[in-house]
Amino acid sequence: MIFYFSGTGNSLYTAKKLADQMGCEIVDMAAGRKEKHEFHLKNEEPVGFVFPVYCYTLNDVVFDYIQNLEITGNGYTFAIVTCGASIGGTAGLLKSELKKRGIDLANVYPLVMPDNAMFYYNIADKKQAKEFLAEADKKLDVMMEKIQKKEVGAISSGLSSRLLRPVYHAMASTKKFSVTDECIHCGKCERNCPDQVIKMKDGIPTWEKSKCVKCSACINRCPVNAIQYGKGTRKRNRYENPYI
């Protein structure tokens, strides 16, 4: 069983590859993340968590889902955390939160993939992104071999990531989002928002809450680059995993 969350497709791509090889189902953590979810493991099946790191800490979708997760039965539990460069202390924070639910996390694998944080700087173009993905595929193959062997790894305390949770929340403001006249009123941003923050009003997306998960799905996956964040994003590259 693979639990995943994905904003622009990297973690979904990873989860699907894992599920195909392991012959198991995938579960979207963004669906009813604040509702109670119960699962029973059969025949010591492995359990994986696949998601992106934001601000070197657990994003709110994953954090909330774990608080409401009940798993019975024994199975090797691992995580693959996708990132643009580093996951910081996210592994330790994930381990401690899962432990509260009686789930023992055996290993965490950081997987560098194309960055989507174009709120803050320019990211790779499409050619560079495909090169990063090709390298990530090779690393993922190695990770899958280790997962099949049920390797156990050392995991840090996660204190730094716990301390960064308030910083992440401070950076999650929706105030700077705006929409240009290029908007084609397709509603894709509303459908892709895991927070259900975006609502279409008279064909124009509006951000109904002051904060969001900051997954960047809306701005990166807009088909005409009509969504902007502040004044600096108009000329920056967008990213969506091309294989999803």
Side-chain angles (χ1 to χ4, degrees):
M1 182 173 294
I2 306 294
F3 297 94
Y4 81 94
F5 167 64
S6 189
T8 55
N10 283 338
S11 293
L12 176 56
Y13 172 77
T14 302
K16 284 186 172 182
K17 285 202 71 172
L18 282 170
D20 287 345
Q21 179 154 331
M22 295 164 60
C24 61
E25 65 176 309
I26 62 174
V27 178
D28 185 358
M29 289 188 281
R33 74 178 201 253
K34 294 186 178 181
E35 301 170 3
K36 188 174 182 180
H37 298 277
E38 298 180 356
F39 298 90
H40 179 71
L41 302 181
K42 300 176 181 178
N43 301 322
E44 297 187 350
E45 66 178 297
V47 177
F49 293 86
V50 183
F51 59 88
V53 62
Y54 300 152
C55 195
Y56 303 111
T57 190
L58 285 179
N59 66 67
D60 278 351
V61 168
V62 178
F63 191 90
D64 291 345
Y65 193 89
I66 288 172
Q67 310 312 308
N68 297 285
L69 178 63
E70 297 290 341
I71 296 180
T72 56
N74 297 316
Y76 172 77
T77 303
F78 67 93
I80 293 181
V81 183
T82 60
C83 60
S86 168
I87 68 170
T90 305
L93 179 55
L94 178 64
K95 183 178 179 67
S96 65
E97 291 303 315
L98 286 173
K99 188 175 182 180
K100 294 176 184 178
R101 313 303 302 168
I103 303 168
D104 183 25
L105 183 64
N107 212 343
V108 176
Y109 304 90
L111 181 60
V112 177
M113 299 186 82
D115 199 340
N116 66 8
M118 47 77 65
F119 300 118
Y120 314 113
Y121 42 78
N122 200 19
I123 58 177
D125 60 27
K126 290 183 179 180
K127 180 181 178 181
Q128 293 169 325
K130 284 195 173 183
E131 292 172 354
F132 288 146
L133 286 170
E135 188 63 28
D137 264 343
K138 296 176 185 177
K139 294 178 180 178
L140 182 56
D141 287 340
V142 174
M143 291 176 189
M144 288 193 288
E145 290 179 4
K146 293 181 178 182
I147 290 167
Q148 289 176 332
K149 295 176 182 177
K150 299 182 179 181
E151 289 194 4
V152 176
I155 300 176
S156 63
S157 69
L159 177 60
S160 63
S161 284
R162 190 171 295 280
L163 294 174
L164 282 169
R165 287 272 297 160
V167 178
Y168 162 58
H169 289 141
M171 298 173 68
S173 171
T174 61
K175 186 182 297 185
K176 292 184 178 181
F177 281 110
S178 63
V179 183
T180 68
D181 292 339
E182 284 86 357
C183 178
I184 58 174
H185 322 295
C186 65
K188 186 176 181 180
C189 52
E190 180 183 33
R191 294 192 299 273
N192 288 332
C193 180
D195 249 357
Q196 297 182 328
V197 169
I198 301 174
K199 301 297 180 185
M200 300 296 288
K201 290 187 176 180
D202 298 323
I204 303 295
T206 60
W207 282 255
E208 300 278 284
K209 299 178 184 178
S210 61
K211 293 183 182 295
C212 67
V213 174
K214 215 60 176 289
C215 71
S216 81
C218 60
I219 191 168
N220 274 301
R221 299 175 70 182
C222 175
V224 292
N225 294 355
I227 296 176
Q228 305 298 331
Y229 188 80
K231 298 180 179 180
T233 59
R234 180 173 284 274
K235 294 183 179 180
R236 289 178 187 163
N237 297 323
R238 268 47 170 183
Y239 174 74
E240 181 177 9
N241 189 290
Y243 305 121
I244 295 298

